[in-house]
Amino acid sequence: MSNTKNYTQTNIGTFKDFSKIGRLELGKSLQLTGSEISFNHLEKGQFTPFVHAHKQNEELYIIISGKGQFMLDNEVIELKEGSIVKVSPKCERAIKADDLQSITFACLQTQENSLKQATNDDGIICKTKASWMK
Ligand code: ZN
């Protein structure tokens, strides 16, 4: 058996208290090899100070709480808790918290078209039993 664990973990606290953190990228601390994930908080009326796009990576924005607006190319859409938006690399984007509510969201970044299989095509049912399985 190898001494290297097949997992890494962290805890960023409760999302309720996330406003103190602002922005946190977890790729390095979790030693991610196929994605980057960040957790972000914008106070009421706060916005990212630039519009950006990507070279290769698509982004998945997952709104955890609050409200905001999202500029996607020439369109502005409303964001609220539960909103999930996939953004293609070339799309020009900027996010803003609502004027009356802050927003907390996760952003998962992965290389566009890199996923070759998932879930049922990639998962393997193992013979091992967890301690809580009879
Ligand atoms: Zn980005």
Side-chain angles (χ1 to χ4, degrees), residues 53-81:
H54 279 267
K55 295 172 189 165
Q56 300 183 48
N57 295 346
E58 66 185 25
E59 291 183 317
L60 188 64
Y61 288 80
I62 302 162
I63 310 308
I64 296 163
S65 67
K67 279 185 171 181
Q69 288 83 44
F70 207 2
M71 187 208 91
L72 300 161
D73 288 333
N74 298 318
E75 199 177 337
V76 174
I77 66 168
E78 296 295 318
L79 299 172
K80 63 181 182 182
E81 183 174 333

Side-chain angles (χ1 to χ4, degrees), residues 7-26:
Y7 69 89
T8 53
Q9 67 170 336
T10 190
N11 185 310
I12 62 170
T14 66
F15 291 116
K16 193 172 144 249
D17 297 330
F18 200 72
S19 59
K20 294 170 194 132
I21 297 171
R23 177 175 169 83
L24 187 61
E25 293 176 354
L26 295 176

Side-chain angles (χ1 to χ4, degrees), residues 100-120:
L100 303 174
Q101 270 189 51
S102 62
I103 191 167
T104 300
F105 60 96
C107 181
L108 179 67
Q109 200 178 114
T110 54
Q111 187 176 0
E112 187 179 46
N113 297 317
S114 64
L115 191 65
K116 302 304 177 206
Q117 72 285 320
T119 314
N120 291 341

Side-chain angles (χ1 to χ4, degrees), residues 41-48 67-69 95-105:
H41 178 87
L42 296 171
E43 290 294 336
K44 293 175 197 174
Q46 194 180 11
F47 51 87
T48 54
K67 279 185 171 181
Q69 288 83 44
I95 195 164
K96 174 188 175 298
D98 188 82
D99 287 333
L100 303 174
Q101 270 189 51
S102 62
I103 191 167
T104 300
F105 60 96

Side-chain angles (χ1 to χ4, degrees), residues 78-90:
E78 296 295 318
L79 299 172
K80 63 181 182 182
E81 183 174 333
S83 297
I84 300 175
V85 185
K86 175 252 184 178
V87 184
S88 297
K90 289 178 177 47

